[in-house]
Amino acid sequence: HLRQRSGDHARPRAVSMDRQWRRDNTVTPLQGGYNGFKIAVAIIVFHFGVKMLEQFADLLLPFIMALLLVTVLEPVKQATLDVLECSFILIFSKACRCCLRISRKSATYGSPDKRPKVEFAELGSVFKKLLMFVSIALTIAFAGRLFWMVGQIIWLSGEAVMHDFRFYEGGVSKRTNQVQNLLERFHLQKSVPTD
């Protein structure tokens, strides 16, 4: 019965037990050690990358900021373009069809011989280029306004810190005196240097 389950009819039971013992006692690498090695390599690569970025910061920082800016602003431009295009198609289909290009296509429903013809309207290529220019201009205006607001927040925060700097200095001197008094109370003023 056991030999039939294992599928090993010709070999005796002792050999199969010996093979099973060898299979169970083989040395396999620990999974935790392998994961630790991968993490260590990742940390070393990350550290090397940060050190390289420090050396090339003057060159790479504007490039990275421009890349992030384009990555963020491209969906805004595309959404603006889609809204403008759909709005103008709706307006021109109701008012005048001078700038529309109409194409007839068969619908995808119904039997093949009785499918109705459906009109699809799209803007002409010149008008599409004009809308692309308008959407880029609106996106740049939006980004400029956003950067202006963020810049004002940073500038006004800096002015407030400069205006209140004497209070910060007073707080630092107060905390320094408190720490020095605490160290003197525990007789640690010689072992802990304070400037």
Side-chain angles (χ1 to χ4, degrees), residues 157-195:
S157 299
E159 278 186 356
V161 168
M162 287 175 53
H163 179 66
D164 297 336
F165 191 70
R166 59 184 174 183
F167 299 112
Y168 291 120
E169 285 180 333
V172 167
S173 64
K174 179 182 176 183
R175 295 293 176 222
T176 304
N177 291 335
Q178 287 176 347
V179 168
Q180 286 177 350
N181 291 336
L182 186 68
L183 290 174
E184 287 176 6
R185 195 169 82 190
F186 290 112
H187 307 291
L188 297 173
Q189 67 271 12
K190 292 182 181 178
S191 60
V192 178
T194 56
D195 304 21

PDB file of all heavy atoms in Angstrom, residues 157-195:
ATOM      1  N   SER A 157       6.753  83.277   5.143  1.00  0.00           N
ATOM      2  CA  SER A 157       7.196  82.476   6.290  1.00  0.00           C
ATOM      3  C   SER A 157       8.608  82.878   6.704  1.00  0.00           C
ATOM      4  O   SER A 157       8.904  82.998   7.893  1.00  0.00           O
ATOM      5  CB  SER A 157       7.160  80.989   5.954  1.00  0.00           C
ATOM      6  OG  SER A 157       5.855  80.587   5.644  1.00  0.00           O
ATOM      7  N   GLY A 158       9.489  83.079   5.723  1.00  0.00           N
ATOM      8  CA  GLY A 158      10.845  83.526   6.016  1.00  0.00           C
ATOM      9  C   GLY A 158      10.858  84.894   6.684  1.00  0.00           C
ATOM     10  O   GLY A 158      11.629  85.136   7.622  1.00  0.00           O
ATOM     11  N   GLU A 159       9.999  85.808   6.205  1.00  0.00           N
ATOM     12  CA  GLU A 159       9.913  87.141   6.832  1.00  0.00           C
ATOM     13  C   GLU A 159       9.432  87.041   8.273  1.00  0.00           C
ATOM     14  O   GLU A 159       9.928  87.737   9.149  1.00  0.00           O
ATOM     15  CB  GLU A 159       8.967  88.037   6.033  1.00  0.00           C
ATOM     16  CG  GLU A 159       9.585  88.683   4.831  1.00  0.00           C
ATOM     17  CD  GLU A 159       8.640  89.660   4.163  1.00  0.00           C
ATOM     18  OE1 GLU A 159       7.470  89.776   4.596  1.00  0.00           O
ATOM     19  OE2 GLU A 159       9.075  90.314   3.216  1.00  0.00           O
ATOM     20  N   ALA A 160       8.462  86.155   8.521  1.00  0.00           N
ATOM     21  CA  ALA A 160       7.954  86.005   9.881  1.00  0.00           C
ATOM     22  C   ALA A 160       9.028  85.442  10.801  1.00  0.00           C
ATOM     23  O   ALA A 160       9.152  85.882  11.961  1.00  0.00           O
ATOM     24  CB  ALA A 160       6.722  85.092   9.880  1.00  0.00           C
ATOM     25  N   VAL A 161       9.820  84.494  10.305  1.00  0.00           N
ATOM     26  CA  VAL A 161      10.897  83.941  11.126  1.00  0.00           C
ATOM     27  C   VAL A 161      11.941  85.008  11.409  1.00  0.00           C
ATOM     28  O   VAL A 161      12.439  85.133  12.536  1.00  0.00           O
ATOM     29  CB  VAL A 161      11.521  82.706  10.437  1.00  0.00           C
ATOM     30  CG1 VAL A 161      12.816  82.295  11.106  1.00  0.00           C
ATOM     31  CG2 VAL A 161      10.538  81.549  10.439  1.00  0.00           C
ATOM     32  N   MET A 162      12.291  85.816  10.389  1.00  0.00           N
ATOM     33  CA  MET A 162      13.269  86.880  10.603  1.00  0.00           C
ATOM     34  C   MET A 162      12.738  87.923  11.581  1.00  0.00           C
ATOM     35  O   MET A 162      13.486  88.453  12.410  1.00  0.00           O
ATOM     36  CB  MET A 162      13.628  87.534   9.273  1.00  0.00           C
ATOM     37  CG  MET A 162      14.495  86.666   8.383  1.00  0.00           C
ATOM     38  SD  MET A 162      14.808  87.372   6.768  1.00  0.00           S
ATOM     39  CE  MET A 162      15.433  88.969   7.150  1.00  0.00           C
ATOM     40  N   HIS A 163      11.458  88.220  11.505  1.00  0.00           N
ATOM     41  CA  HIS A 163      10.852  89.207  12.401  1.00  0.00           C
ATOM     42  C   HIS A 163      10.852  88.699  13.845  1.00  0.00           C
ATOM     43  O   HIS A 163      11.049  89.484  14.782  1.00  0.00           O
ATOM     44  CB  HIS A 163       9.428  89.519  11.934  1.00  0.00           C
ATOM     45  CG  HIS A 163       8.708  90.494  12.788  1.00  0.00           C
ATOM     46  ND1 HIS A 163       9.097  91.809  12.903  1.00  0.00           N
ATOM     47  CD2 HIS A 163       7.632  90.349  13.596  1.00  0.00           C
ATOM     48  CE1 HIS A 163       8.283  92.439  13.736  1.00  0.00           C
ATOM     49  NE2 HIS A 163       7.381  91.575  14.173  1.00  0.00           N
ATOM     50  N   ASP A 164      10.640  87.412  14.042  1.00  0.00           N
ATOM     51  CA  ASP A 164      10.568  86.825  15.380  1.00  0.00           C
ATOM     52  C   ASP A 164      11.884  86.186  15.818  1.00  0.00           C
ATOM     53  O   ASP A 164      11.901  85.430  16.790  1.00  0.00           O
ATOM     54  CB  ASP A 164       9.461  85.771  15.426  1.00  0.00           C
ATOM     55  CG  ASP A 164       8.085  86.368  15.181  1.00  0.00           C
ATOM     56  OD1 ASP A 164       7.917  87.573  15.431  1.00  0.00           O
ATOM     57  OD2 ASP A 164       7.197  85.615  14.741  1.00  0.00           O
ATOM     58  N   PHE A 165      12.975  86.499  15.142  1.00  0.00           N
ATOM     59  CA  PHE A 165      14.241  85.824  15.426  1.00  0.00           C
ATOM     60  C   PHE A 165      14.735  86.105  16.844  1.00  0.00           C
ATOM     61  O   PHE A 165      15.300  85.234  17.495  1.00  0.00           O
ATOM     62  CB  PHE A 165      15.301  86.238  14.396  1.00  0.00           C
ATOM     63  CG  PHE A 165      16.530  85.399  14.452  1.00  0.00           C
ATOM     64  CD1 PHE A 165      16.515  84.082  14.036  1.00  0.00           C
ATOM     65  CD2 PHE A 165      17.718  85.926  14.957  1.00  0.00           C
ATOM     66  CE1 PHE A 165      17.645  83.305  14.095  1.00  0.00           C
ATOM     67  CE2 PHE A 165      18.853  85.143  15.034  1.00  0.00           C
ATOM     68  CZ  PHE A 165      18.824  83.831  14.600  1.00  0.00           C
ATOM     69  N   ARG A 166      14.520  87.319  17.346  1.00  0.00           N
ATOM     70  CA  ARG A 166      14.987  87.632  18.708  1.00  0.00           C
ATOM     71  C   ARG A 166      14.280  86.759  19.742  1.00  0.00           C
ATOM     72  O   ARG A 166      14.856  86.403  20.762  1.00  0.00           O
ATOM     73  CB  ARG A 166      14.785  89.105  18.998  1.00  0.00           C
ATOM     74  CG  ARG A 166      13.359  89.516  18.889  1.00  0.00           C
ATOM     75  CD  ARG A 166      13.145  90.967  19.078  1.00  0.00           C
ATOM     76  NE  ARG A 166      11.716  91.132  18.779  1.00  0.00           N
ATOM     77  CZ  ARG A 166      11.117  92.249  18.764  1.00  0.00           C
ATOM     78  NH1 ARG A 166      11.771  93.341  19.027  1.00  0.00           N
ATOM     79  NH2 ARG A 166       9.846  92.325  18.494  1.00  0.00           N
ATOM     80  N   PHE A 167      13.010  86.389  19.473  1.00  0.00           N
ATOM     81  CA  PHE A 167      12.304  85.505  20.399  1.00  0.00           C
ATOM     82  C   PHE A 167      12.885  84.086  20.349  1.00  0.00           C
ATOM     83  O   PHE A 167      12.969  83.406  21.362  1.00  0.00           O
ATOM     84  CB  PHE A 167      10.816  85.478  20.078  1.00  0.00           C
ATOM     85  CG  PHE A 167      10.158  86.828  20.202  1.00  0.00           C
ATOM     86  CD1 PHE A 167       9.686  87.484  19.077  1.00  0.00           C
ATOM     87  CD2 PHE A 167      10.028  87.442  21.439  1.00  0.00           C
ATOM     88  CE1 PHE A 167       9.087  88.718  19.174  1.00  0.00           C
ATOM     89  CE2 PHE A 167       9.429  88.686  21.552  1.00  0.00           C
ATOM     90  CZ  PHE A 167       8.963  89.329  20.424  1.00  0.00           C
ATOM     91  N   TYR A 168      13.281  83.659  19.149  1.00  0.00           N
ATOM     92  CA  TYR A 168      13.931  82.347  19.027  1.00  0.00           C
ATOM     93  C   TYR A 168      15.253  82.336  19.782  1.00  0.00           C
ATOM     94  O   TYR A 168      15.583  81.373  20.466  1.00  0.00           O
ATOM     95  CB  TYR A 168      14.174  81.985  17.564  1.00  0.00           C
ATOM     96  CG  TYR A 168      12.914  81.700  16.781  1.00  0.00           C
ATOM     97  CD1 TYR A 168      12.580  82.462  15.662  1.00  0.00           C
ATOM     98  CD2 TYR A 168      12.066  80.673  17.132  1.00  0.00           C
ATOM     99  CE1 TYR A 168      11.426  82.218  14.954  1.00  0.00           C
ATOM    100  CE2 TYR A 168      10.908  80.413  16.426  1.00  0.00           C
ATOM    101  CZ  TYR A 168      10.595  81.193  15.330  1.00  0.00           C
ATOM    102  OH  TYR A 168       9.462  80.939  14.627  1.00  0.00           O
ATOM    103  N   GLU A 169      16.030  83.418  19.654  1.00  0.00           N
ATOM    104  CA  GLU A 169      17.295  83.510  20.385  1.00  0.00           C
ATOM    105  C   GLU A 169      17.067  83.496  21.891  1.00  0.00           C
ATOM    106  O   GLU A 169      17.806  82.851  22.641  1.00  0.00           O
ATOM    107  CB  GLU A 169      18.055  84.780  19.986  1.00  0.00           C
ATOM    108  CG  GLU A 169      18.695  84.705  18.633  1.00  0.00           C
ATOM    109  CD  GLU A 169      19.433  85.990  18.288  1.00  0.00           C
ATOM    110  OE1 GLU A 169      19.041  87.071  18.806  1.00  0.00           O
ATOM    111  OE2 GLU A 169      20.389  85.907  17.512  1.00  0.00           O
ATOM    112  N   GLY A 170      16.044  84.205  22.350  1.00  0.00           N
ATOM    113  CA  GLY A 170      15.718  84.199  23.772  1.00  0.00           C
ATOM    114  C   GLY A 170      15.328  82.805  24.255  1.00  0.00           C
ATOM    115  O   GLY A 170      15.717  82.376  25.345  1.00  0.00           O
ATOM    116  N   GLY A 171      14.582  82.071  23.427  1.00  0.00           N
ATOM    117  CA  GLY A 171      14.200  80.709  23.793  1.00  0.00           C
ATOM    118  C   GLY A 171      15.396  79.776  23.856  1.00  0.00           C
ATOM    119  O   GLY A 171      15.495  78.926  24.747  1.00  0.00           O
ATOM    120  N   VAL A 172      16.323  79.961  22.927  1.00  0.00           N
ATOM    121  CA  VAL A 172      17.530  79.116  22.927  1.00  0.00           C
ATOM    122  C   VAL A 172      18.373  79.397  24.164  1.00  0.00           C
ATOM    123  O   VAL A 172      18.854  78.470  24.833  1.00  0.00           O
ATOM    124  CB  VAL A 172      18.351  79.347  21.629  1.00  0.00           C
ATOM    125  CG1 VAL A 172      19.734  78.747  21.748  1.00  0.00           C
ATOM    126  CG2 VAL A 172      17.625  78.766  20.439  1.00  0.00           C
ATOM    127  N   SER A 173      18.554  80.661  24.511  1.00  0.00           N
ATOM    128  CA  SER A 173      19.350  80.977  25.707  1.00  0.00           C
ATOM    129  C   SER A 173      18.654  80.483  26.975  1.00  0.00           C
ATOM    130  O   SER A 173      19.312  79.998  27.910  1.00  0.00           O
ATOM    131  CB  SER A 173      19.625  82.475  25.782  1.00  0.00           C
ATOM    132  OG  SER A 173      18.409  83.178  25.941  1.00  0.00           O
ATOM    133  N   LYS A 174      17.334  80.553  27.020  1.00  0.00           N
ATOM    134  CA  LYS A 174      16.599  80.056  28.178  1.00  0.00           C
ATOM    135  C   LYS A 174      16.782  78.545  28.330  1.00  0.00           C
ATOM    136  O   LYS A 174      17.057  78.048  29.424  1.00  0.00           O
ATOM    137  CB  LYS A 174      15.114  80.401  28.026  1.00  0.00           C
ATOM    138  CG  LYS A 174      14.246  79.911  29.147  1.00  0.00           C
ATOM    139  CD  LYS A 174      12.788  80.266  28.889  1.00  0.00           C
ATOM    140  CE  LYS A 174      11.894  79.678  29.966  1.00  0.00           C
ATOM    141  NZ  LYS A 174      10.477  79.959  29.701  1.00  0.00           N
ATOM    142  N   ARG A 175      16.648  77.795  27.214  1.00  0.00           N
ATOM    143  CA  ARG A 175      16.827  76.330  27.268  1.00  0.00           C
ATOM    144  C   ARG A 175      18.271  75.966  27.609  1.00  0.00           C
ATOM    145  O   ARG A 175      18.519  75.011  28.328  1.00  0.00           O
ATOM    146  CB  ARG A 175      16.418  75.688  25.943  1.00  0.00           C
ATOM    147  CG  ARG A 175      14.967  75.810  25.616  1.00  0.00           C
ATOM    148  CD  ARG A 175      14.109  75.023  26.566  1.00  0.00           C
ATOM    149  NE  ARG A 175      12.712  75.262  26.257  1.00  0.00           N
ATOM    150  CZ  ARG A 175      11.759  75.450  27.148  1.00  0.00           C
ATOM    151  NH1 ARG A 175      12.063  75.430  28.424  1.00  0.00           N
ATOM    152  NH2 ARG A 175      10.529  75.666  26.787  1.00  0.00           N
ATOM    153  N   THR A 176      19.238  76.746  27.108  1.00  0.00           N
ATOM    154  CA  THR A 176      20.640  76.483  27.428  1.00  0.00           C
ATOM    155  C   THR A 176      20.890  76.642  28.920  1.00  0.00           C
ATOM    156  O   THR A 176      21.556  75.808  29.549  1.00  0.00           O
ATOM    157  CB  THR A 176      21.550  77.428  26.628  1.00  0.00           C
ATOM    158  OG1 THR A 176      21.275  77.272  25.241  1.00  0.00           O
ATOM    159  CG2 THR A 176      23.015  77.140  26.883  1.00  0.00           C
ATOM    160  N   ASN A 177      20.355  77.695  29.508  1.00  0.00           N
ATOM    161  CA  ASN A 177      20.505  77.901  30.950  1.00  0.00           C
ATOM    162  C   ASN A 177      19.833  76.789  31.741  1.00  0.00           C
ATOM    163  O   ASN A 177      20.373  76.331  32.763  1.00  0.00           O
ATOM    164  CB  ASN A 177      19.937  79.262  31.360  1.00  0.00           C
ATOM    165  CG  ASN A 177      20.776  80.407  30.842  1.00  0.00           C
ATOM    166  OD1 ASN A 177      21.963  80.244  30.593  1.00  0.00           O
ATOM    167  ND2 ASN A 177      20.149  81.559  30.674  1.00  0.00           N
ATOM    168  N   GLN A 178      18.663  76.338  31.288  1.00  0.00           N
ATOM    169  CA  GLN A 178      17.975  75.249  31.989  1.00  0.00           C
ATOM    170  C   GLN A 178      18.791  73.965  31.953  1.00  0.00           C
ATOM    171  O   GLN A 178      18.895  73.261  32.958  1.00  0.00           O
ATOM    172  CB  GLN A 178      16.589  75.014  31.378  1.00  0.00           C
ATOM    173  CG  GLN A 178      15.586  76.088  31.704  1.00  0.00           C
ATOM    174  CD  GLN A 178      14.255  75.860  30.999  1.00  0.00           C
ATOM    175  OE1 GLN A 178      14.141  75.045  30.093  1.00  0.00           O
ATOM    176  NE2 GLN A 178      13.248  76.621  31.429  1.00  0.00           N
ATOM    177  N   VAL A 179      19.386  73.646  30.794  1.00  0.00           N
ATOM    178  CA  VAL A 179      20.193  72.425  30.680  1.00  0.00           C
ATOM    179  C   VAL A 179      21.450  72.543  31.533  1.00  0.00           C
ATOM    180  O   VAL A 179      21.835  71.584  32.216  1.00  0.00           O
ATOM    181  CB  VAL A 179      20.534  72.144  29.186  1.00  0.00           C
ATOM    182  CG1 VAL A 179      21.591  71.064  29.064  1.00  0.00           C
ATOM    183  CG2 VAL A 179      19.281  71.746  28.430  1.00  0.00           C
ATOM    184  N   GLN A 180      22.090  73.703  31.532  1.00  0.00           N
ATOM    185  CA  GLN A 180      23.289  73.881  32.357  1.00  0.00           C
ATOM    186  C   GLN A 180      22.957  73.768  33.848  1.00  0.00           C
ATOM    187  O   GLN A 180      23.703  73.160  34.607  1.00  0.00           O
ATOM    188  CB  GLN A 180      23.941  75.223  32.050  1.00  0.00           C
ATOM    189  CG  GLN A 180      24.665  75.241  30.730  1.00  0.00           C
ATOM    190  CD  GLN A 180      25.239  76.607  30.397  1.00  0.00           C
ATOM    191  OE1 GLN A 180      24.944  77.595  31.066  1.00  0.00           O
ATOM    192  NE2 GLN A 180      26.052  76.649  29.345  1.00  0.00           N
ATOM    193  N   ASN A 181      21.837  74.323  34.280  1.00  0.00           N
ATOM    194  CA  ASN A 181      21.426  74.191  35.684  1.00  0.00           C
ATOM    195  C   ASN A 181      21.133  72.739  36.040  1.00  0.00           C
ATOM    196  O   ASN A 181      21.470  72.272  37.144  1.00  0.00           O
ATOM    197  CB  ASN A 181      20.205  75.063  35.978  1.00  0.00           C
ATOM    198  CG  ASN A 181      20.519  76.539  35.935  1.00  0.00           C
ATOM    199  OD1 ASN A 181      21.668  76.928  36.117  1.00  0.00           O
ATOM    200  ND2 ASN A 181      19.499  77.348  35.690  1.00  0.00           N
ATOM    201  N   LEU A 182      20.525  72.007  35.118  1.00  0.00           N
ATOM    202  CA  LEU A 182      20.231  70.590  35.343  1.00  0.00           C
ATOM    203  C   LEU A 182      21.521  69.790  35.460  1.00  0.00           C
ATOM    204  O   LEU A 182      21.638  68.920  36.336  1.00  0.00           O
ATOM    205  CB  LEU A 182      19.357  70.055  34.214  1.00  0.00           C
ATOM    206  CG  LEU A 182      18.837  68.636  34.362  1.00  0.00           C
ATOM    207  CD1 LEU A 182      17.828  68.553  35.496  1.00  0.00           C
ATOM    208  CD2 LEU A 182      18.217  68.166  33.072  1.00  0.00           C
ATOM    209  N   LEU A 183      22.494  70.090  34.601  1.00  0.00           N
ATOM    210  CA  LEU A 183      23.778  69.386  34.659  1.00  0.00           C
ATOM    211  C   LEU A 183      24.517  69.712  35.966  1.00  0.00           C
ATOM    212  O   LEU A 183      25.157  68.835  36.562  1.00  0.00           O
ATOM    213  CB  LEU A 183      24.642  69.748  33.453  1.00  0.00           C
ATOM    214  CG  LEU A 183      24.179  69.199  32.106  1.00  0.00           C
ATOM    215  CD1 LEU A 183      25.042  69.762  30.994  1.00  0.00           C
ATOM    216  CD2 LEU A 183      24.213  67.690  32.101  1.00  0.00           C
ATOM    217  N   GLU A 184      24.442  70.965  36.417  1.00  0.00           N
ATOM    218  CA  GLU A 184      25.080  71.327  37.678  1.00  0.00           C
ATOM    219  C   GLU A 184      24.410  70.635  38.858  1.00  0.00           C
ATOM    220  O   GLU A 184      25.071  70.242  39.820  1.00  0.00           O
ATOM    221  CB  GLU A 184      25.037  72.845  37.874  1.00  0.00           C
ATOM    222  CG  GLU A 184      25.992  73.588  36.979  1.00  0.00           C
ATOM    223  CD  GLU A 184      25.856  75.100  37.119  1.00  0.00           C
ATOM    224  OE1 GLU A 184      25.097  75.565  38.001  1.00  0.00           O
ATOM    225  OE2 GLU A 184      26.503  75.799  36.328  1.00  0.00           O
ATOM    226  N   ARG A 185      23.095  70.472  38.789  1.00  0.00           N
ATOM    227  CA  ARG A 185      22.378  69.804  39.872  1.00  0.00           C
ATOM    228  C   ARG A 185      22.796  68.350  40.018  1.00  0.00           C
ATOM    229  O   ARG A 185      22.868  67.824  41.120  1.00  0.00           O
ATOM    230  CB  ARG A 185      20.870  69.912  39.626  1.00  0.00           C
ATOM    231  CG  ARG A 185      20.052  69.563  40.856  1.00  0.00           C
ATOM    232  CD  ARG A 185      18.619  69.925  40.685  1.00  0.00           C
ATOM    233  NE  ARG A 185      17.977  68.843  39.942  1.00  0.00           N
ATOM    234  CZ  ARG A 185      16.761  68.898  39.447  1.00  0.00           C
ATOM    235  NH1 ARG A 185      16.054  69.990  39.581  1.00  0.00           N
ATOM    236  NH2 ARG A 185      16.245  67.884  38.808  1.00  0.00           N
ATOM    237  N   PHE A 186      23.090  67.689  38.893  1.00  0.00           N
ATOM    238  CA  PHE A 186      23.518  66.286  38.936  1.00  0.00           C
ATOM    239  C   PHE A 186      25.045  66.159  38.884  1.00  0.00           C
ATOM    240  O   PHE A 186      25.563  65.071  38.697  1.00  0.00           O
ATOM    241  CB  PHE A 186      22.886  65.500  37.772  1.00  0.00           C
ATOM    242  CG  PHE A 186      21.414  65.308  37.934  1.00  0.00           C
ATOM    243  CD1 PHE A 186      20.527  65.953  37.080  1.00  0.00           C
ATOM    244  CD2 PHE A 186      20.910  64.509  38.949  1.00  0.00           C
ATOM    245  CE1 PHE A 186      19.160  65.773  37.221  1.00  0.00           C
ATOM    246  CE2 PHE A 186      19.539  64.335  39.090  1.00  0.00           C
ATOM    247  CZ  PHE A 186      18.661  64.974  38.232  1.00  0.00           C
ATOM    248  N   HIS A 187      25.760  67.258  38.990  1.00  0.00           N
ATOM    249  CA  HIS A 187      27.221  67.293  39.009  1.00  0.00           C
ATOM    250  C   HIS A 187      27.812  66.672  37.732  1.00  0.00           C
ATOM    251  O   HIS A 187      28.759  65.908  37.787  1.00  0.00           O
ATOM    252  CB  HIS A 187      27.778  66.585  40.258  1.00  0.00           C
ATOM    253  CG  HIS A 187      27.192  67.097  41.533  1.00  0.00           C
ATOM    254  ND1 HIS A 187      27.465  68.358  42.006  1.00  0.00           N
ATOM    255  CD2 HIS A 187      26.327  66.536  42.417  1.00  0.00           C
ATOM    256  CE1 HIS A 187      26.791  68.559  43.139  1.00  0.00           C
ATOM    257  NE2 HIS A 187      26.094  67.467  43.411  1.00  0.00           N
ATOM    258  N   LEU A 188      27.253  67.016  36.608  1.00  0.00           N
ATOM    259  CA  LEU A 188      27.730  66.496  35.318  1.00  0.00           C
ATOM    260  C   LEU A 188      28.283  67.588  34.421  1.00  0.00           C
ATOM    261  O   LEU A 188      28.537  67.365  33.245  1.00  0.00           O
ATOM    262  CB  LEU A 188      26.582  65.785  34.572  1.00  0.00           C
ATOM    263  CG  LEU A 188      25.994  64.540  35.239  1.00  0.00           C
ATOM    264  CD1 LEU A 188      24.777  64.072  34.481  1.00  0.00           C
ATOM    265  CD2 LEU A 188      27.037  63.434  35.281  1.00  0.00           C
ATOM    266  N   GLN A 189      28.480  68.795  34.961  1.00  0.00           N
ATOM    267  CA  GLN A 189      28.904  69.905  34.117  1.00  0.00           C
ATOM    268  C   GLN A 189      30.289  69.713  33.534  1.00  0.00           C
ATOM    269  O   GLN A 189      30.586  70.226  32.451  1.00  0.00           O
ATOM    270  CB  GLN A 189      28.813  71.238  34.856  1.00  0.00           C
ATOM    271  CG  GLN A 189      29.779  71.414  36.000  1.00  0.00           C
ATOM    272  CD  GLN A 189      29.204  70.912  37.313  1.00  0.00           C
ATOM    273  OE1 GLN A 189      28.184  70.241  37.350  1.00  0.00           O
ATOM    274  NE2 GLN A 189      29.870  71.263  38.412  1.00  0.00           N
ATOM    275  N   LYS A 190      31.140  68.930  34.168  1.00  0.00           N
ATOM    276  CA  LYS A 190      32.489  68.693  33.640  1.00  0.00           C
ATOM    277  C   LYS A 190      32.513  67.558  32.618  1.00  0.00           C
ATOM    278  O   LYS A 190      33.331  67.570  31.706  1.00  0.00           O
ATOM    279  CB  LYS A 190      33.467  68.380  34.772  1.00  0.00           C
ATOM    280  CG  LYS A 190      33.723  69.548  35.678  1.00  0.00           C
ATOM    281  CD  LYS A 190      34.713  69.216  36.746  1.00  0.00           C
ATOM    282  CE  LYS A 190      34.913  70.411  37.650  1.00  0.00           C
ATOM    283  NZ  LYS A 190      35.832  70.105  38.738  1.00  0.00           N
ATOM    284  N   SER A 191      31.603  66.609  32.731  1.00  0.00           N
ATOM    285  CA  SER A 191      31.621  65.455  31.808  1.00  0.00           C
ATOM    286  C   SER A 191      30.849  65.743  30.519  1.00  0.00           C
ATOM    287  O   SER A 191      31.088  65.096  29.505  1.00  0.00           O
ATOM    288  CB  SER A 191      31.045  64.219  32.493  1.00  0.00           C
ATOM    289  OG  SER A 191      29.711  64.459  32.885  1.00  0.00           O
ATOM    290  N   VAL A 192      29.921  66.682  30.534  1.00  0.00           N
ATOM    291  CA  VAL A 192      29.148  67.026  29.341  1.00  0.00           C
ATOM    292  C   VAL A 192      29.523  68.430  28.926  1.00  0.00           C
ATOM    293  O   VAL A 192      29.223  69.384  29.635  1.00  0.00           O
ATOM    294  CB  VAL A 192      27.629  66.915  29.598  1.00  0.00           C
ATOM    295  CG1 VAL A 192      26.844  67.317  28.353  1.00  0.00           C
ATOM    296  CG2 VAL A 192      27.256  65.533  30.062  1.00  0.00           C
ATOM    297  N   PRO A 193      30.200  68.593  27.775  1.00  0.00           N
ATOM    298  CA  PRO A 193      30.580  69.948  27.360  1.00  0.00           C
ATOM    299  C   PRO A 193      29.381  70.715  26.812  1.00  0.00           C
ATOM    300  O   PRO A 193      28.575  70.179  26.063  1.00  0.00           O
ATOM    301  CB  PRO A 193      31.614  69.688  26.252  1.00  0.00           C
ATOM    302  CG  PRO A 193      31.283  68.345  25.721  1.00  0.00           C
ATOM    303  CD  PRO A 193      30.689  67.566  26.858  1.00  0.00           C
ATOM    304  N   THR A 194      29.244  71.934  27.223  1.00  0.00           N
ATOM    305  CA  THR A 194      28.189  72.807  26.689  1.00  0.00           C
ATOM    306  C   THR A 194      28.846  74.081  26.191  1.00  0.00           C
ATOM    307  O   THR A 194      29.712  74.657  26.843  1.00  0.00           O
ATOM    308  CB  THR A 194      27.158  73.165  27.791  1.00  0.00           C
ATOM    309  OG1 THR A 194      27.832  73.747  28.879  1.00  0.00           O
ATOM    310  CG2 THR A 194      26.417  71.931  28.247  1.00  0.00           C
ATOM    311  N   ASP A 195      28.410  74.515  25.049  1.00  0.00           N
ATOM    312  CA  ASP A 195      28.968  75.746  24.456  1.00  0.00           C
ATOM    313  C   ASP A 195      28.001  76.882  24.646  1.00  0.00           C
ATOM    314  O   ASP A 195      26.898  76.825  24.266  1.00  0.00           O
ATOM    315  CB  ASP A 195      29.227  75.562  22.971  1.00  0.00           C
ATOM    316  CG  ASP A 195      30.140  74.386  22.689  1.00  0.00           C
ATOM    317  OD1 ASP A 195      30.238  73.511  23.545  1.00  0.00           O
ATOM    318  OD2 ASP A 195      30.724  74.360  21.606  1.00  0.00           O
TER     319      ASP A 195
END
